[in-house]
């Protein structure tokens, strides 16, 4: 079994390096709480990067939109495949990844692309155990480009299975969370959760595979992709067990697990500060890609109504 056998879906031998890391957890684009002190660099990725000239790990002060402060990843689509690699997974039989993705208006029928893959080799050049496609509805027969659709392709012993998420579940210009739960098992149940939607799942025999690397960014394409607008990624988290779930919307102090007026104040301070202050945590309450007055107002309303538990908000 090799993805290269697959019509349009195999990553060609373009020396795909490893992906993202993982295992036992790492959230290399989203851990820090201090918006000003953190240095943002793709050097945090244990497996390095492909085409790092097209990757920018910046903070909001540098004009890099983020979901959770301070750092995020911008990926240019103009100069070929570009992605970060995590090779911290060690022949994983259980692998869970969650990240946030902002398409930044790149939803297009002309731009089917892989934005995440988990690979069987440590350098990412082996077979992909799974691929997350953007702008693709049905990845199998044939490769079917459809704007703002998301499809998870899972390699099994008998071929490929897929989980499809339609365009209505995706924000084309805001932040989306993807959580993927994979295991090596003769009767595996692979899960994709998009935003606050239900668990979508597909079954298959994945027993002979192991995940040794993960890749995040512009990993592959189904047609020639070019755009002046970059993709944005943030808050990558991968681990062996215990699903991370979604981050608490509007929370600006991760020492708490509930929203408070302090969050309203921190968001307002960012909005009114003219770039002098950036709120920590996840100030973009409505996840539309912009931290604005509406986010502060929404948090205020939640707190005022006593509906401030993060459990209701993630
Ligand atoms: Ca971040
Ligand atoms: Ca917002």
């Amino acid at each position: 079994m090799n993805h290269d056998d697959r019509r349009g879906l195999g990553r060609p031998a373009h020396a795909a390096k490893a992906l993202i890391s993982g295992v036992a957890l790492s959230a290399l684009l989203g851990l820090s709480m201090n918006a000003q002190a953190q240095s943002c660099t793709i050097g945090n990725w244990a497996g390095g990067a492909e085409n790092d000239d097209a990757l920018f790990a910046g903070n909001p002060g540098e004009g890099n939109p983020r979901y959770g402060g301070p750092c995020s990843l911008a990926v240019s689509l103009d100069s070929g495949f570009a992605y970060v690699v995590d090779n911290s997974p060690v022949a994983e039989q259980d692998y869970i990844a969650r990240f946030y993705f902002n398409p930044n208006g790149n939803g297009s029928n002309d731009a089917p692309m892989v934005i995440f893959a988990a690979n069987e080799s440590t350098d990412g050049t082996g077979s992909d155990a799974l691929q997350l496609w953007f702008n693709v509805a049905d990845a199998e027969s044939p490769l079917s480009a459809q704007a703002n659709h998301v499809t998870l392709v899972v390699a099994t012993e008998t071929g490929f299975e897929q989980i499809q998420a339609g365009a209505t579940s995706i924000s084309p210009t805001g932040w989306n969370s993807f959580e993927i739960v994979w295991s090596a098992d003769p009767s595996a149940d692979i899960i994709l959760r998009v935003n606050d939607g239900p668990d979508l799942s597909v079954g298959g025999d994945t027993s002979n595979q192991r995940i040794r690397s993960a890749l995040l960014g512009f990993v592959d394409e189904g047609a020639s992709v070019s755009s002046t607008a970059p993709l944005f990624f943030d808050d990558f988290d991968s681990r062996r067990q215990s699903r991370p779930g979604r981050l608490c919307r509007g929370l600006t102090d991760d020492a708490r697990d509930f929203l408070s007026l302090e969050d309203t104040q921190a968001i307002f301070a960012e909005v009114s500060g003219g770039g002098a202050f950036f709120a920590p945590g996840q100030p973009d309450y409505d996840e539309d890609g912009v931290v604005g007055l509406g986010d502060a107002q929404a948090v205020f309303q939640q707190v005022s109504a006593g509906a401030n538990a993060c459990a209701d908000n993630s």
Side-chain angles (χ1 to χ4, degrees):
M1 171 184 54
N2 187 312
H3 276 211
D4 288 349
D5 294 336
R6 217 164 164 218
R7 184 177 40 224
L9 285 183
R11 279 191 293 115
H14 71 272
K17 303 276 170 65
L19 271 197
I20 296 192
S21 88
V23 185
L25 84 108
S26 66
L28 294 167
L29 294 172
L31 274 182
S32 174
M33 303 301 299
N34 187 318
Q36 278 75 40
Q38 172 85 3
S39 171
C40 302
T41 170
I42 60 172
N44 291 335
W45 294 84
E50 171 79 9
N51 189 15
D52 58 4
D53 286 346
L55 302 172
F56 178 64
N59 61 47
E62 299 170 302
N64 222 23
R66 94 293 197 188
Y67 182 69
C71 306
S72 64
L73 176 67
V75 179
S76 169
L77 297 173
D78 283 338
S79 54
F81 303 122
Y83 48 84
V84 287
V85 177
D86 176 8
N87 61 9
S88 61
V90 184
E92 302 301 331
Q93 299 186 57
D94 295 284
Y95 181 77
I96 301 168
R98 187 228 51 217
F99 62 92
Y100 281 76
F101 170 61
N102 184 339
N104 194 24
N106 281 294
S108 166
N109 293 336
D110 297 327
M113 65 181 90
V114 175
I115 58 172
F116 174 80
N119 195 270
E120 289 211 78
S121 74
T122 55
D123 64 359
T125 60
S127 295
D128 289 329
L130 56 86
Q131 298 175 332
L132 189 65
W133 283 80
F134 178 59
N135 290 326
V136 169
D138 182 343
E140 284 283 11
S141 53
L143 177 63
S144 169
Q146 246 184 297
N148 289 307
H149 286 241
V150 170
T151 299
L152 181 72
V153 178
V154 178
T156 73
E157 290 304 299
T158 54
F160 300 93
E161 303 292 340
Q162 56 183 316
I163 302 173
Q164 301 170 4
T168 56
S169 64
I170 303 296
S171 171
T173 55
W175 290 102
N176 301 279
S177 65
F178 299 123
E179 187 176 45
I180 298 165
V181 183
W182 179 92
S183 62
D185 192 287
S187 55
D189 188 28
I190 312 301
I191 294 170
L192 170 66
R193 185 184 184 211
V194 179
N195 290 322
D196 57 358
D199 281 353
L200 308 172
S201 66
V202 70
D205 181 357
T206 57
S207 56
N208 291 329
Q209 301 178 60
R210 299 293 181 270
I211 288 177
R212 297 180 178 85
S213 61
L215 314 153
L216 184 70
F218 180 29
V219 178
D220 198 0
E221 62 190 348
S224 182
V225 172
S226 180
S227 169
T228 56
L231 306 174
F232 301 124
F233 296 86
D234 204 355
D235 295 290
F236 178 77
D237 186 327
S238 70
R239 43 178 90 184
R240 298 189 178 103
Q241 58 188 13
S242 177
R243 294 172 60 174
R246 280 162 56 78
L247 295 165
C248 181
R249 295 185 295 128
L251 184 68
T252 63
D253 181 354
D254 287 345
R256 279 184 277 112
D257 61 358
F258 57 91
L259 298 177
S260 83
L261 289 181
E262 294 173 27
D263 300 313
T264 297
Q265 292 163 352
I267 297 169
F268 182 76
E270 174 169 335
V271 174
S272 61
F277 174 79
F278 294 96
Q282 298 79 236
D284 187 2
Y285 179 86
D286 60 9
E287 302 182 327
D288 69 348
V290 178
V291 178
L293 266 186
D295 297 309
Q297 292 168 340
V299 172
F300 180 79
Q301 288 168 0
Q302 292 296 109
V303 173
S304 299
N308 58 338
C310 283
D312 300 330
N313 189 22
S314 58

Short mmCIF file of all heavy atoms in Angstrom, two decimals, residues 17-65:
data_model
loop_
_atom_site.label_atom_id
_atom_site.label_comp_id
_atom_site.label_asym_id
_atom_site.label_seq_id
_atom_site.Cartn_x
_atom_site.Cartn_y
_atom_site.Cartn_z
N LYS A 17 9.36 16.19 3.78
CA LYS A 17 10.03 15.95 5.05
C LYS A 17 8.98 15.60 6.08
O LYS A 17 7.81 15.62 5.82
CB LYS A 17 10.79 17.18 5.47
CG LYS A 17 11.79 17.59 4.42
CD LYS A 17 13.06 16.83 4.56
CE LYS A 17 13.96 17.06 3.38
NZ LYS A 17 14.38 18.39 3.32
N ALA A 18 9.40 15.36 7.20
CA ALA A 18 8.47 14.97 8.22
C ALA A 18 7.56 16.07 8.62
O ALA A 18 7.75 17.17 8.26
CB ALA A 18 9.22 14.59 9.41
N LEU A 19 6.59 15.76 9.36
CA LEU A 19 5.61 16.72 9.74
C LEU A 19 5.76 17.31 11.07
O LEU A 19 6.74 17.77 11.46
CB LEU A 19 4.33 16.01 9.83
CG LEU A 19 3.59 15.97 8.62
CD1 LEU A 19 2.22 15.62 8.96
CD2 LEU A 19 3.64 17.15 7.84
N ILE A 20 4.80 17.22 11.67
CA ILE A 20 4.64 17.84 12.91
C ILE A 20 4.95 16.91 13.97
O ILE A 20 5.07 15.84 13.84
CB ILE A 20 3.24 18.08 13.06
CG1 ILE A 20 2.94 19.00 12.02
CG2 ILE A 20 2.89 18.43 14.33
CD1 ILE A 20 1.83 19.61 12.00
N SER A 21 5.06 17.21 14.94
CA SER A 21 5.50 16.34 15.87
C SER A 21 4.55 15.75 16.68
O SER A 21 3.56 15.59 16.51
CB SER A 21 6.24 17.01 16.79
OG SER A 21 5.54 17.44 17.67
N GLY A 22 4.77 15.39 17.55
CA GLY A 22 3.78 14.93 18.23
C GLY A 22 4.08 14.14 19.24
O GLY A 22 4.95 14.02 19.67
N VAL A 23 3.40 13.51 19.71
CA VAL A 23 3.57 12.58 20.64
C VAL A 23 3.81 13.10 21.93
O VAL A 23 4.70 13.75 22.26
CB VAL A 23 4.73 11.84 20.37
CG1 VAL A 23 4.69 10.84 21.38
CG2 VAL A 23 4.64 11.37 19.05
N ALA A 24 3.06 12.64 22.73
CA ALA A 24 3.13 13.00 24.08
C ALA A 24 2.96 14.45 24.20
O ALA A 24 3.20 15.00 25.20
CB ALA A 24 4.41 12.58 24.66
N LEU A 25 2.58 15.03 23.20
CA LEU A 25 2.11 16.36 23.25
C LEU A 25 3.07 17.45 22.95
O LEU A 25 4.15 17.49 23.40
CB LEU A 25 1.59 16.65 24.58
CG LEU A 25 2.70 17.04 25.45
CD1 LEU A 25 2.60 18.49 25.73
CD2 LEU A 25 2.70 16.28 26.70
N SER A 26 2.61 18.34 22.15
CA SER A 26 3.36 19.55 21.94
C SER A 26 2.43 20.49 21.25
O SER A 26 1.64 20.09 20.45
CB SER A 26 4.57 19.29 21.08
OG SER A 26 4.19 18.92 19.80
N ALA A 27 2.51 21.73 21.59
CA ALA A 27 1.64 22.72 20.95
C ALA A 27 2.54 23.86 20.56
O ALA A 27 2.48 24.94 21.09
CB ALA A 27 0.55 23.16 21.89
N LEU A 28 3.38 23.60 19.62
CA LEU A 28 4.50 24.49 19.36
C LEU A 28 4.10 25.85 18.84
O LEU A 28 4.89 26.76 18.85
CB LEU A 28 5.44 23.81 18.37
CG LEU A 28 6.08 22.58 18.99
CD1 LEU A 28 6.74 21.74 17.93
CD2 LEU A 28 7.07 22.97 20.06
N LEU A 29 2.90 25.97 18.38
CA LEU A 29 2.49 27.28 17.88
C LEU A 29 1.54 27.97 18.83
O LEU A 29 0.92 28.94 18.48
CB LEU A 29 1.84 27.14 16.50
CG LEU A 29 2.77 26.67 15.41
CD1 LEU A 29 2.00 26.37 14.15
CD2 LEU A 29 3.84 27.70 15.14
N GLY A 30 1.42 27.48 20.01
CA GLY A 30 0.39 28.10 20.83
C GLY A 30 0.58 28.03 22.32
O GLY A 30 -0.34 28.28 23.06
N LEU A 31 1.74 27.68 22.78
CA LEU A 31 1.86 27.43 24.20
C LEU A 31 2.00 28.68 25.06
O LEU A 31 1.50 28.74 26.15
CB LEU A 31 3.10 26.56 24.47
CG LEU A 31 2.83 25.07 24.36
CD1 LEU A 31 4.10 24.31 24.68
CD2 LEU A 31 1.72 24.67 25.31
N SER A 32 2.71 29.63 24.56
CA SER A 32 3.08 30.72 25.45
C SER A 32 1.90 31.59 25.84
O SER A 32 0.97 31.81 25.07
CB SER A 32 4.14 31.59 24.79
OG SER A 32 4.38 32.71 25.61
N MET A 33 1.96 32.12 27.01
CA MET A 33 0.89 32.97 27.49
C MET A 33 1.21 34.45 27.30
O MET A 33 0.37 35.30 27.47
CB MET A 33 0.66 32.71 28.98
CG MET A 33 0.35 31.28 29.30
SD MET A 33 -1.11 30.75 28.43
CE MET A 33 -2.29 31.89 29.15
N ASN A 34 2.44 34.75 27.05
CA ASN A 34 2.83 36.16 27.03
C ASN A 34 3.02 36.65 25.61
O ASN A 34 3.91 36.24 24.89
CB ASN A 34 4.14 36.33 27.82
CG ASN A 34 4.50 37.79 27.96
OD1 ASN A 34 4.37 38.57 27.02
ND2 ASN A 34 4.95 38.18 29.14
N ALA A 35 2.15 37.53 25.22
CA ALA A 35 2.13 37.94 23.81
C ALA A 35 3.36 38.72 23.41
O ALA A 35 3.70 38.79 22.25
CB ALA A 35 0.88 38.76 23.53
N GLN A 36 4.02 39.31 24.34
CA GLN A 36 5.14 40.17 23.97
C GLN A 36 6.51 39.50 24.11
O GLN A 36 7.45 39.85 23.42
CB GLN A 36 5.15 41.45 24.82
CG GLN A 36 4.20 42.51 24.30
CD GLN A 36 2.75 42.19 24.61
OE1 GLN A 36 2.43 41.71 25.69
NE2 GLN A 36 1.87 42.44 23.67
N ALA A 37 6.60 38.55 25.01
CA ALA A 37 7.93 38.04 25.34
C ALA A 37 8.38 36.89 24.45
O ALA A 37 9.56 36.61 24.34
CB ALA A 37 7.96 37.59 26.80
N GLN A 38 7.42 36.26 23.81
CA GLN A 38 7.77 35.04 23.10
C GLN A 38 8.41 35.32 21.75
O GLN A 38 7.95 36.13 20.97
CB GLN A 38 6.50 34.22 22.89
CG GLN A 38 6.67 33.01 22.00
CD GLN A 38 7.18 31.82 22.78
OE1 GLN A 38 7.34 31.88 23.98
NE2 GLN A 38 7.47 30.75 22.08
N SER A 39 9.48 34.63 21.48
CA SER A 39 10.07 34.67 20.16
C SER A 39 9.43 33.57 19.31
O SER A 39 9.40 32.41 19.71
CB SER A 39 11.57 34.45 20.27
OG SER A 39 12.13 34.29 18.99
N CYS A 40 8.93 33.94 18.17
CA CYS A 40 8.22 32.99 17.33
C CYS A 40 9.16 32.48 16.23
O CYS A 40 9.72 33.27 15.49
CB CYS A 40 7.00 33.65 16.70
SG CYS A 40 5.85 34.34 17.90
N THR A 41 9.29 31.18 16.14
CA THR A 41 10.19 30.62 15.13
C THR A 41 9.74 29.23 14.73
O THR A 41 9.25 28.46 15.57
CB THR A 41 11.63 30.57 15.65
OG1 THR A 41 12.42 29.81 14.73
CG2 THR A 41 11.69 29.90 17.02
N ILE A 42 9.92 28.91 13.47
CA ILE A 42 9.62 27.55 13.05
C ILE A 42 10.70 26.59 13.52
O ILE A 42 10.58 25.38 13.36
CB ILE A 42 9.43 27.44 11.53
CG1 ILE A 42 10.70 27.89 10.80
CG2 ILE A 42 8.21 28.22 11.07
CD1 ILE A 42 10.64 27.62 9.31
N GLY A 43 11.76 27.13 14.10
CA GLY A 43 12.81 26.28 14.67
C GLY A 43 12.30 25.40 15.79
O GLY A 43 12.97 24.46 16.21
N ASN A 44 11.09 25.69 16.29
CA ASN A 44 10.52 24.85 17.33
C ASN A 44 10.12 23.49 16.80
O ASN A 44 9.90 22.56 17.58
CB ASN A 44 9.26 25.52 17.90
CG ASN A 44 9.60 26.75 18.70
OD1 ASN A 44 10.70 26.88 19.23
ND2 ASN A 44 8.66 27.68 18.79
N TRP A 45 9.99 23.37 15.49
CA TRP A 45 9.50 22.11 14.93
C TRP A 45 10.64 21.11 14.84
O TRP A 45 11.63 21.34 14.13
CB TRP A 45 8.85 22.35 13.58
CG TRP A 45 7.62 23.16 13.77
CD1 TRP A 45 7.55 24.51 13.86
CD2 TRP A 45 6.30 22.67 13.99
NE1 TRP A 45 6.25 24.90 14.11
CE2 TRP A 45 5.47 23.80 14.19
CE3 TRP A 45 5.74 21.40 14.04
CZ2 TRP A 45 4.10 23.67 14.43
CZ3 TRP A 45 4.39 21.29 14.27
CH2 TRP A 45 3.58 22.40 14.47
N ALA A 46 10.47 20.00 15.52
CA ALA A 46 11.56 19.06 15.72
C ALA A 46 12.09 18.48 14.42
O ALA A 46 13.26 18.13 14.32
CB ALA A 46 11.10 17.93 16.64
N GLY A 47 11.25 18.38 13.42
CA GLY A 47 11.69 17.78 12.16
C GLY A 47 12.09 18.80 11.12
O GLY A 47 12.36 18.45 9.98
N GLY A 48 12.07 20.07 11.48
CA GLY A 48 12.47 21.09 10.53
C GLY A 48 11.32 21.54 9.64
O GLY A 48 10.16 21.50 10.04
N ALA A 49 11.67 21.96 8.44
CA ALA A 49 10.66 22.52 7.55
C ALA A 49 11.06 22.30 6.11
O ALA A 49 12.23 22.14 5.78
CB ALA A 49 10.49 24.02 7.81
N GLU A 50 10.07 22.28 5.25
CA GLU A 50 10.27 22.23 3.80
C GLU A 50 10.03 23.62 3.25
O GLU A 50 8.99 24.21 3.52
CB GLU A 50 9.28 21.22 3.19
CG GLU A 50 9.23 21.21 1.68
CD GLU A 50 10.40 20.44 1.06
OE1 GLU A 50 11.14 19.79 1.80
OE2 GLU A 50 10.55 20.50 -0.17
N ASN A 51 10.99 24.14 2.50
CA ASN A 51 10.82 25.46 1.86
C ASN A 51 10.55 26.54 2.90
O ASN A 51 9.54 27.24 2.84
CB ASN A 51 9.69 25.39 0.83
CG ASN A 51 9.60 26.64 -0.03
OD1 ASN A 51 10.53 27.45 -0.06
ND2 ASN A 51 8.49 26.80 -0.71
N ASP A 52 11.45 26.66 3.86
CA ASP A 52 11.16 27.56 4.98
C ASP A 52 11.11 29.03 4.60
O ASP A 52 10.62 29.86 5.36
CB ASP A 52 12.12 27.32 6.15
CG ASP A 52 13.57 27.50 5.75
OD1 ASP A 52 13.84 27.88 4.59
OD2 ASP A 52 14.44 27.26 6.60
N ASP A 53 11.55 29.36 3.40
CA ASP A 53 11.41 30.75 2.95
C ASP A 53 9.94 31.13 2.78
O ASP A 53 9.61 32.32 2.77
CB ASP A 53 12.12 30.96 1.60
CG ASP A 53 13.64 30.99 1.77
OD1 ASP A 53 14.10 31.11 2.93
OD2 ASP A 53 14.35 30.89 0.77
N ALA A 54 9.09 30.13 2.61
CA ALA A 54 7.66 30.40 2.40
C ALA A 54 6.88 30.27 3.71
O ALA A 54 5.64 30.33 3.70
CB ALA A 54 7.09 29.44 1.36
N LEU A 55 7.58 30.09 4.81
CA LEU A 55 6.93 29.94 6.11
C LEU A 55 7.29 31.13 6.98
O LEU A 55 8.44 31.57 7.01
CB LEU A 55 7.40 28.65 6.80
CG LEU A 55 7.18 27.35 6.03
CD1 LEU A 55 7.88 26.20 6.74
CD2 LEU A 55 5.69 27.07 5.89
N PHE A 56 6.31 31.62 7.71
CA PHE A 56 6.57 32.73 8.62
C PHE A 56 5.90 32.46 9.95
O PHE A 56 4.68 32.30 10.02
CB PHE A 56 6.06 34.05 8.04
CG PHE A 56 6.27 35.21 8.96
CD1 PHE A 56 7.55 35.63 9.30
CD2 PHE A 56 5.18 35.88 9.49
CE1 PHE A 56 7.74 36.71 10.16
CE2 PHE A 56 5.37 36.97 10.35
CZ PHE A 56 6.65 37.37 10.69
N ALA A 57 6.70 32.33 10.99
CA ALA A 57 6.16 32.16 12.33
C ALA A 57 6.29 33.49 13.04
O ALA A 57 7.37 33.87 13.50
CB ALA A 57 6.93 31.07 13.07
N GLY A 58 5.21 34.21 13.10
CA GLY A 58 5.26 35.54 13.69
C GLY A 58 4.21 35.73 14.76
O GLY A 58 3.39 34.84 15.02
N ASN A 59 4.24 36.88 15.38
CA ASN A 59 3.23 37.21 16.38
C ASN A 59 2.33 38.32 15.82
O ASN A 59 2.62 38.89 14.77
CB ASN A 59 3.90 37.60 17.71
CG ASN A 59 4.78 38.82 17.55
OD1 ASN A 59 4.37 39.81 16.95
ND2 ASN A 59 5.98 38.75 18.09
N PRO A 60 1.23 38.61 16.49
CA PRO A 60 0.30 39.61 15.96
C PRO A 60 0.94 40.99 15.80
O PRO A 60 0.53 41.76 14.94
CB PRO A 60 -0.85 39.61 16.96
CG PRO A 60 -0.34 38.90 18.16
CD PRO A 60 0.72 37.97 17.70
N GLY A 61 1.96 41.28 16.59
CA GLY A 61 2.65 42.56 16.44
C GLY A 61 3.37 42.66 15.11
O GLY A 61 3.69 43.75 14.63
N GLU A 62 3.66 41.52 14.53
CA GLU A 62 4.30 41.49 13.21
C GLU A 62 3.28 41.28 12.10
O GLU A 62 3.64 40.95 10.97
CB GLU A 62 5.35 40.36 13.18
CG GLU A 62 6.46 40.55 14.20
CD GLU A 62 7.34 39.32 14.31
OE1 GLU A 62 6.82 38.24 14.62
OE2 GLU A 62 8.56 39.45 14.09
N GLY A 63 2.03 41.43 12.44
CA GLY A 63 0.98 41.31 11.44
C GLY A 63 0.57 39.89 11.13
O GLY A 63 -0.09 39.64 10.13
N ASN A 64 0.95 38.96 11.97
CA ASN A 64 0.59 37.56 11.73
C ASN A 64 -0.68 37.24 12.51
O ASN A 64 -0.66 37.16 13.73
CB ASN A 64 1.72 36.64 12.19
CG ASN A 64 1.97 35.51 11.23
OD1 ASN A 64 1.64 35.62 10.05
ND2 ASN A 64 2.56 34.43 11.70
N PRO A 65 -1.79 37.02 11.84
CA PRO A 65 -3.01 36.68 12.57
C PRO A 65 -2.82 35.39 13.37
O PRO A 65 -2.21 34.45 12.88
CB PRO A 65 -4.04 36.48 11.45
CG PRO A 65 -3.49 37.20 10.27
CD PRO A 65 -2.01 37.08 10.40
#
